[in-house]
Amino acid sequence: MKMKLLRLRVLAFAVLGWMASLQVSAQQVTIDASIDSLQLLIGEQTKVKLEVSLDAGQKLQMPFIGDTIVNGVEVLDIAKPDTQYLNNGKRMLVKQEYTVTSFDSALYYLPPFEVLVDNQPYHSKALALKVYSVPVDTLNPDQFYGPKSIREVPIKWEDISTAFWLALLMIAMGGLGYYLYLRLKDNKPIIKKIRIEPKLPAHMQALQDIERIKSDKSMRMNNPKEYYTELTDVLRTYMSDRFGFNAMEMTSGEIIDKLLEIKDKESIRELKDLFQTADLVKFAKHAPLMNENDMNLVNAVDFINQTKIEVDPNAKLEPTEVTIEEKRSKQGRMALMVGIGLILVIVLVLLFYVVRDIYYLL
């Protein structure tokens, strides 16, 4: 008998503990609904707010609401849920707002919202919304005005300026494309005119080049091989222009022999010494002294002055123009076709924008 009583007591305590745990669990979830304004005029808007408090580890499913909460109350917008963590992240407070309106005057009953927490339903309190119609003064109908007539708005420059400039650009691009098309079609050769400046007399060009060599002191002191190469090249070029033989392709000895046929031996003795020194520097790595380099440069100048042909200082040398015709290459024709294609695309794009702007104005 005592054993049965003991078992009944244990069972009663277990049932009470289970019911207490359910009560504690139920108290862990709270849901609250509120509305910003209980009274609205037709077409005005208000916000319905839903707040759910639960443990951070619980799974929450907010209610699904369509276009209306109840018949006559329309939902315009559903904001994203706003979640806040409380008690060091142990609790969550989830808020969601619904923007609603109504176009029928009536007193609406908004039923409780149902949320699921761990697949267990919880309900908020019900709400009420009173919608009033707009008051109309029927005793003074003169205050009401009928619909306005259509008013034509004058077109301003700001309205057409973009289309105008785009049209001008389109015409210019079209003209350029047509010009390129004609060039491609007729396939005329490309005509170039080259302006050729008059050539200096041989002795003046040679003296000018020697002056340039003379001004380069570094080459004269540190690079005798380059110094004598440039100096003799200037003399060879001068001789080719002055005496008419190809001195650039001749050896030093052949140049001296050719000059002996034209000039006396005494007049080219110093020039012969210059060429011999140049050959020793270029082929035997001879290192001439500085005064020897200067003396050879002076000898080159003296030779040019002794053999030059004087020209009339008052004579004015006019430049000449040479006309050159070149056939258009395949690459040139291809470039013309690509250019015409690009211009065509640009014209079509501009035409689209011009027509669109004109359409909007009309």
Side-chain angles (χ1 to χ4, degrees):
M1 192 69 179
K2 292 181 178 180
M3 289 296 294
K4 289 183 177 179
L5 291 173
L6 181 61
R7 290 178 179 175
L8 289 173
R9 289 179 179 177
V10 172
L11 181 60
F13 281 119
V15 172
L16 290 173
W18 177 72
M19 293 178 64
S21 65
L22 286 178
Q23 184 177 2
V24 172
S25 177
Q27 291 177 352
Q28 289 178 349
V29 178
T30 59
I31 178 172
D32 181 53
S34 62
I35 188 169
D36 285 350
S37 179
L38 300 177
Q39 299 179 354
L40 295 178
L41 291 176
I42 289 177
E44 289 185 338
Q45 301 177 6
T46 187
K47 293 185 182 294
V48 177
K49 299 179 181 179
L50 182 63
E51 295 183 359
V52 182
S53 176
L54 68 161
D55 289 339
Q58 293 180 299
K59 181 180 179 182
L60 172 64
Q61 182 177 346
M62 299 297 285
F64 173 78
I65 298 178
D67 296 335
T68 60
I69 295 180
V70 294
N71 188 22
V73 179
E74 300 181 8
V75 178
L76 301 178
D77 181 61
I78 300 177
K80 292 183 179 180
D82 179 24
T83 303
Q84 299 179 8
Y85 289 92
L86 308 173
N87 298 338
N88 296 325
K90 296 180 181 180
R91 298 282 294 174
M92 288 193 308
L93 180 62
V94 181
K95 299 179 181 180
Q96 191 163 26
E97 293 184 353
Y98 305 89
T99 304
V100 299
T101 189
S102 178
F103 297 96
D104 293 323
S105 59
L107 176 62
Y108 295 98
Y109 169 77
L110 306 182
F113 291 96
E114 180 182 279
V115 299
L116 297 179
V117 178
D118 292 337
N119 295 324
Q120 184 176 349
Y122 293 87
H123 297 86
S124 69
K125 63 182 179 181
L127 300 173
L129 177 63
K130 177 63 176 176
V131 179
Y132 295 93
S133 60
V134 178
V136 177
D137 187 3
T138 57
L139 299 178
N140 298 299
D142 296 338
Q143 295 181 356
F144 299 95
Y145 301 95
K148 297 289 185 180
S149 60
I150 299 176
R151 180 182 177 184
E152 294 184 0
V153 179
I155 298 177
K156 299 180 180 180
W157 168 249
E158 292 78 6
D159 301 328
I160 63 172
S161 60
T162 302
F164 175 78
W165 293 117
L166 289 179
L168 284 184
L169 180 60
M170 181 182 66
I171 294 173
M173 295 299 293
L176 178 60
Y178 182 69
Y179 170 75
L180 294 179
Y181 170 74
L182 293 179
R183 291 293 302 271
L184 179 66
K185 184 178 179 181
D186 60 25
N187 196 25
K188 289 183 179 180
I190 301 174
I191 300 175
K192 295 182 179 180
K193 290 186 177 181
I194 301 176
R195 185 181 178 91
I196 301 178
E197 295 296 331
K199 186 178 180 181
L200 289 175
H203 69 279
M204 295 180 64
Q205 183 64 51
L207 293 174
Q208 186 176 1
D209 293 337
I210 289 177
E211 188 64 28
R212 174 183 56 81
I213 296 172
K214 179 181 177 181
S215 62
D216 192 347
K217 296 181 180 180
S218 176
M219 179 178 64
R220 191 163 72 251
M221 295 174 59
N222 304 322
N223 197 344
K225 182 177 180 180
E226 182 179 357
Y227 170 75
Y228 277 98
T229 299
E230 291 196 13
L231 183 60
T232 54
D233 284 346
V234 170
L235 290 172
R236 290 170 185 269
T237 302
Y238 168 73
M239 294 175 191
S240 298
D241 294 338
R242 171 64 180 83
F243 298 110
F245 60 86
N246 190 7
M248 296 299 296
E249 302 297 331
M250 300 171 65
T251 64
S252 299
E254 292 173 342
I255 292 174
I256 297 301
D257 292 340
K258 191 69 175 178
L259 289 175
L260 288 174
E261 298 176 1
I262 303 172
K263 303 288 291 182
D264 59 281
K265 185 176 181 180
E266 185 63 26
S267 62
I268 62 171
R269 181 177 59 82
E270 295 176 348
L271 185 66
K272 181 178 179 181
D273 295 338
L274 187 154
F275 274 101
Q276 288 177 349
T277 303
D279 290 341
L280 290 174
V281 171
K282 290 189 285 185
F283 303 112
K285 297 182 180 181
H286 172 64
L289 299 176
M290 180 60 67
N291 58 350
E292 187 178 359
N293 294 337
D294 295 338
M295 182 58 66
N296 285 324
L297 188 141
V298 172
N299 292 336
V301 172
D302 290 342
F303 174 77
I304 294 172
N305 288 328
Q306 293 173 6
T307 57
K308 67 181 179 181
I309 298 177
E310 295 291 346
V311 296
D312 185 3
N314 297 322
K316 185 177 180 181
L317 302 176
E318 296 292 339
T320 57
E321 282 189 350
V322 178
T323 302
I324 301 177
E325 292 188 359
E326 296 180 358
K327 292 185 178 179
R328 188 174 290 115
S329 62
K330 292 182 178 180
Q331 292 82 358
R333 291 179 59 83
M334 183 62 67
L336 282 176
M337 288 188 289
V338 171
I340 293 172
L342 290 176
I343 291 175
L344 180 61
V345 172
I346 295 174
V347 168
L348 291 177
V349 172
L350 293 174
L351 179 62
F352 167 77
Y353 283 105
V354 171
V355 172
R356 185 196 64 176
D357 291 349
I358 295 176
Y359 174 79
Y360 287 155
L361 288 175
L362 299 178

